[in-house]
Amino acid sequence: MDPSLLQWFIPIAGLLAVGFAIYLARDVLSRDTGTKEMMDVSLTINEGAVAFIKRQYLTIGVLALAATVIIGAVITLLETQNVADTKSHYGLDMGIRTGGAFLLGAACSMACGIIGMLVSVKANVRVASAARRSLVEAVQVAMRGGAVSGFLVVALSLLGVWSIFAINGGLAGGESTHDAPFLIVGYGFGASFVALFAQLGGGIYTKAADVGADLVGKVEAGIPEDDPRNAGVIADLVGDNVGDCAGRGADLFESTAAENIGAMILGVAVYALALANNWPNPTAWIFFPLVVRAFGLVSTIVAMFFIRGKETENPMNILNRGYWVTTILSAASLALVTNVMMNTNGAVGDGNIPTWVYFFGCGVVGLATSIAFVYITQYYTAGNFRPVKQIAEASKTGPATNIIAGFSVGFETTAVTAITIGIALLASHWLGAHSGLGATGGIFGTAVATMGMLMTTAYVLAMDTFGPITDNAGGIAEFSRAEKGARDITDHLDAVGNTTKALTKGYAIASASLAAFLLFSAYISKVNLILTNRGEPKMAAVDLADVNVFVAALIAAMLVYLFSALAIRAVGKTASSIIFEVRRQFKEIPGIMDYTGRPDYARVVDITTRAALREMIAPGVLAVATPIIVGLLLGYQAVAGLLMVGTIAGVLLATVLNNGGGAWDNAKKYIEAGHLLDEDGKVIGKKSMAHEAAVVGDTVGDPFKDTAGPSLHVLVKLLATITLVMAPLFIR
């Protein structure tokens, strides 16, 4: 097969995925919407979510436009021919191309966030309605609703990178193809820029509303979660959509875009090797990451038809079945793509094994890492394993021991995370280095592993969006006073949704780790290209004994903790405002507790919106400004140290926050489901001291797992994309 034919599979697969997403959306929207009371709640959630998204993206849009102008001007003035990373593009030309790519990446990232939210607010009521009839139907509707976002995010990322690559001459061959990956890094920066603010704003909103509603409603008033008498409930349900759906959609869009671009930059080094050795179709090495992603999309489309099961089956098993189909098909297509595109004209690796076999092994390492993190996260956050049970048991003696146990679980998860990521990097680098391409092959091997892992992104994102959709469905069922059977199903799905959300965060951490090494390598490649063009020696290593590098590394570790502190503090401040408002309404609006008075939901939504948008600015600006200031003051080698240590600190802290928060949440649900027993075998359930302690622990974990933790994924990749764009400015 001619490798150039596979290159044209990129836009075909992207458009096919868009078409399939439209088909799924039509299927979800055609489903029954339940009772009038369910629709009333759903419409109120939709109204609040749309209002927040409009105000948030207006704010982010203004910031993005200002950043576009600044980036374009700085690149124009400072990226002269002497420090440009391409021979034919510099100055004003480079400024326009980089600024334009940044703006396009920002716009696509915003579109993905909006799409994710709009689908979620339409699917939630249909899942609540389906739960009145069948657990399997409810699972299918929720998963299909989530898959709309998953397919569109990955397809838009794929089509966006391919299109801007083509616009910059990437399809022309020769020097244009060589230069094009360096001209599109602004696209990844724009996507990361928007994702950071979207994740921060949505995360602050959703967790402030959740904390405020829980503490006053469950702990103080003693009423159930999502009770219509609680003025904070609608804001909480709105938050599930603007945080977990819109924020995560933008997050994974920037992940896939930035990682594709980084892998393509590393592919340039192999492209040069292919030209020197007269290998056929050398451009295939640059296109390879996009082709792999295209086949991953098609594999996920097939897997969606395997989401079926029995009414008595654990819903997590139904979702895992589809994940395994995606993974197996991805592995098969990976073998095809590496075989066809990695033609070395007879050259082989160690042991006389063809080069493509080694790189196929690298991709399998990535897929295996994905599987490992899916099950690692399930172990630490699902209610049927030791960590969650341990936290629930600790709740018997109060909030303090619950919180101690939760932190213990969070810190424990760093061990298996670090070991798994380390094994993946070592294995993929070893395979690449023995493929016959030497050191270049080792670095490219880690890129192939990252691409292999990201083949399942669309399915994992669908499982992530499954979480807030089922959470909203449970809220709608409770709010509309649906029958107990429906509420039991939505409670079960909500607990599974907590695990799938945690699972996606674990997946995002793992992909961020592999991708950060990939993007770090891309940064080194870009710096060395500039140094070579200037006739200066390459940067062979990063010297931590150099005082500038050490200080930059120290600042990177500090940035991770300060950024998290600002994000968590923002949730606390906003939640305090909601708590005071909900308390005020309980006191001043007569008839709330006996359902004869109606709480003022709109006021709580407005308070939360204004506070979240105000509080997202400081941590966002800190994250964007720090690497630029370090680079300008301390130089390009110091930036390399910042990238290394920032990645390590960010990944480990995100692991603690995500898994600890997820375990706290499901420990609360474990108790609410009646699984915790006292010494005499009696159930310890809702309204017990242990349950109150678990609610406190869940409240502590909320800003960990849904605000600071997910935002750290974006921070890690934002550091890499900023430094990729600004690398020429750090070389003096």
Side-chain angles (χ1 to χ4, degrees):
M1 182 186 293
D2 186 349
S4 61
L5 294 177
L6 286 183
Q7 290 168 204
W8 287 106
F9 187 67
I10 298 167
I12 293 171
L15 293 173
L16 180 64
V18 170
F20 189 68
I22 293 171
Y23 158 74
L24 291 178
R26 287 173 61 89
D27 176 69
V28 170
L29 295 176
S30 68
R31 304 279 180 146
D32 177 60
T33 56
T35 65
K36 179 182 181 299
E37 291 78 11
M38 286 181 170
M39 275 303 299
D40 288 343
V41 182
S42 178
L43 290 172
T44 305
I45 295 169
N46 181 69
E47 182 181 337
V50 170
F52 176 82
I53 285 294
K54 284 182 178 177
R55 290 171 67 171
Q56 183 187 47
Y57 279 131
L58 179 62
T59 304
I60 295 175
V62 170
L63 292 172
L65 285 172
T68 299
V69 174
I70 293 170
I71 290 167
V74 169
I75 294 290
T76 298
L77 293 174
L78 299 181
E79 191 163 342
T80 61
Q81 188 173 10
N82 186 44
V83 295
D85 46 21
T86 61
K87 295 178 181 178
S88 54
H89 302 285
Y90 51 86
L92 179 61
D93 178 35
M94 194 64 167
I96 292 173
R97 289 175 184 270
T98 304
F102 176 92
L103 189 60
L104 181 60
C108 289
S109 188
M110 285 193 280
C112 287
I114 292 168
I115 290 166
M117 187 276 298
L118 289 177
V119 173
S120 174
V121 296
K122 298 295 184 184
N124 52 20
V125 69
R126 289 159 172 85
V127 174
S129 174
R132 301 168 68 208
R133 297 182 295 274
S134 161
L135 180 142
V136 173
E137 183 187 351
V139 170
Q140 290 175 333
V141 175
M143 193 60 182
R144 289 187 169 208
V148 174
S149 177
F151 282 114
L152 287 177
V153 165
V154 179
L156 287 177
S157 169
L158 184 68
L159 291 171
V161 172
W162 182 82
S163 299
I164 197 168
F165 181 78
I167 290 169
N168 282 285
L171 304 181
E175 194 66 27
S176 296
T177 299
H178 174 279
D179 290 348
F182 298 99
L183 301 176
I184 64 177
V185 291
Y187 185 84
F189 182 16
S192 298
F193 182 90
V194 167
L196 182 72
F197 285 102
Q199 187 67 71
L200 275 171
I204 293 168
Y205 182 106
T206 183
K207 289 303 105 180
D210 195 358
V211 169
D214 277 358
L215 285 182
V216 182
K218 290 173 123 180
V219 177
E220 294 183 9
I223 58 179
E225 186 173 358
D226 300 325
D227 192 292
R229 294 170 290 181
N230 189 335
V233 164
I234 292 296
D236 183 13
L237 296 175
V238 168
D240 294 331
N241 299 288
V242 301
D244 290 329
C245 296
R248 196 84 69 254
D251 176 1
L252 287 180
F253 173 82
E254 70 86 18
S255 294
T256 55
E259 289 150 16
N260 278 335
I261 293 167
M264 293 172 79
I265 289 174
L266 295 181
V268 169
V270 189
Y271 167 81
L273 197 63
L275 284 177
N277 289 280
N278 201 30
W279 293 345
N281 200 19
T283 58
W285 296 89
I286 297 176
F287 281 105
F288 174 80
L290 300 184
V291 175
V292 168
R293 301 305 303 283
F295 274 95
L297 269 175
V298 174
S299 298
T300 307
I301 290 174
V302 175
M304 290 304 300
F305 295 100
F306 285 82
I307 300 173
R308 57 186 72 236
K310 300 177 181 177
E311 288 296 314
T312 56
E313 190 173 4
N314 185 337
M316 198 68 228
N317 292 340
I318 298 174
L319 301 184
N320 283 341
R321 187 175 300 118
Y323 175 74
W324 274 106
V325 172
T326 304
T327 302
I328 292 168
L329 292 177
S330 294
S333 57
L334 185 65
L336 170 68
V337 175
T338 50
N339 184 301
V340 172
M341 300 193 75
M342 295 181 167
N343 190 335
T344 55
N345 208 21
V348 294
D350 291 1
N352 209 33
I353 298 171
T355 296
W356 74 266
V357 174
Y358 279 99
F359 285 114
F360 169 66
C362 294
V364 170
V365 167
L367 285 169
T369 305
S370 173
I371 295 168
F373 269 90
V374 164
Y375 285 98
I376 288 168
T377 308
Q378 285 187 36
Y379 174 75
Y380 278 106
T381 61
N384 49 334
F385 296 108
R386 187 265 307 169
V388 168
K389 291 180 180 179
Q390 176 182 314
I391 297 172
E393 286 290 332
S395 303
K396 291 178 179 178
T397 48
T401 46
N402 170 284
I403 290 169
I404 291 169
F407 268 110
S408 172
V409 168
F411 288 133
E412 179 188 322
T413 61
T414 59
V416 68
T417 297
I419 291 169
T420 303
I421 292 169
I423 291 172
L425 287 172
L426 288 170
S428 57
H429 189 278
W430 185 90
L431 287 167
H434 288 75
S435 66
L437 274 63
T440 300
I443 298 298
F444 192 68
T446 64
V448 175
T450 305
M451 291 301 102
M453 180 172 187
L454 291 173
M455 289 183 81
T456 58
T457 298
Y459 192 88
V460 172
L461 182 54
M463 285 201 293
D464 179 67
T465 311
F466 173 95
I469 289 174
T470 54
D471 193 350
N472 261 205
I476 291 170
E478 177 73 39
F479 207 97
S480 62
R481 303 192 211 179
E483 53 268 38
K484 185 179 183 299
R487 184 58 178 159
D488 288 343
I489 288 177
T490 57
D491 280 347
H492 193 181
L493 294 185
D494 187 16
V496 171
N498 280 333
T499 299
T500 62
K501 287 189 290 184
L503 179 156
T504 308
K505 290 162 194 166
Y507 177 85
I509 290 170
S511 68
S513 305
L514 294 183
F517 185 80
L518 180 160
L519 293 169
F520 173 74
S521 301
Y523 171 77
I524 300 297
S525 295
K526 184 166 182 174
V527 167
N528 283 336
L529 179 64
I530 297 169
L531 293 174
T532 300
N533 291 342
R534 295 178 62 178
E536 298 179 14
K538 293 182 178 181
M539 178 171 60
V542 181
D543 183 6
L544 281 173
D546 182 288
V547 66
N548 285 358
V549 176
F550 187 86
V551 169
L554 187 64
I555 290 171
M558 173 277 295
L559 172 63
V560 167
Y561 286 91
L562 180 58
F563 175 85
S564 299
L566 292 174
I568 293 169
R569 183 188 304 164
V571 172
K573 287 174 64 178
T574 307
S576 295
S577 301
I578 296 168
I579 289 169
F580 288 132
E581 174 60 23
V582 175
R583 284 174 178 168
R584 182 195 68 79
Q585 293 194 27
F586 274 131
K587 289 179 181 178
E588 298 180 9
I589 300 177
I592 284 183
M593 292 305 290
D594 61 7
Y595 297 99
T596 59
R598 189 176 190 272
D600 187 351
Y601 305 115
R603 179 169 172 77
V604 180
V605 170
D606 185 61
I607 290 171
T608 316
T609 298
R610 286 188 281 108
L613 296 182
R614 181 177 64 251
E615 297 293 337
M616 77 178 182
I617 301 297
V621 170
L622 174 73
V624 173
T626 301
I628 296 174
I629 293 171
V630 168
L632 292 174
L633 293 179
L634 301 180
Y636 66 90
Q637 291 194 43
V639 169
L642 179 139
L643 283 177
M644 283 195 303
V645 175
T647 297
I648 293 168
V651 165
L652 293 180
L653 183 57
T655 300
V656 173
L657 298 177
N658 287 337
N659 289 340
W664 264 315
D665 194 343
N666 271 346
K668 176 196 70 176
K669 286 185 166 53
Y670 181 85
I671 294 172
E672 290 175 344
H675 298 312
L676 184 64
L677 306 177
D678 65 12
E679 292 77 7
D680 299 323
K682 295 180 180 178
V683 172
I684 301 175
K686 293 181 180 180
K687 298 186 179 181
S688 64
M689 185 186 77
H691 181 241
E692 290 182 4
V695 171
V696 173
D698 175 38
T699 303
V700 172
D702 274 339
F704 284 23
K705 68 182 175 64
D706 288 325
T707 308
S711 297
L712 282 174
H713 314 156
V714 188
L715 175 68
V716 166
K717 286 167 284 190
L718 181 71
L719 292 176
T721 54
I722 288 177
T723 51
L724 266 178
V725 171
M726 298 296 182
L729 313 184
F730 306 149
I731 299 174
R732 298 187 295 274

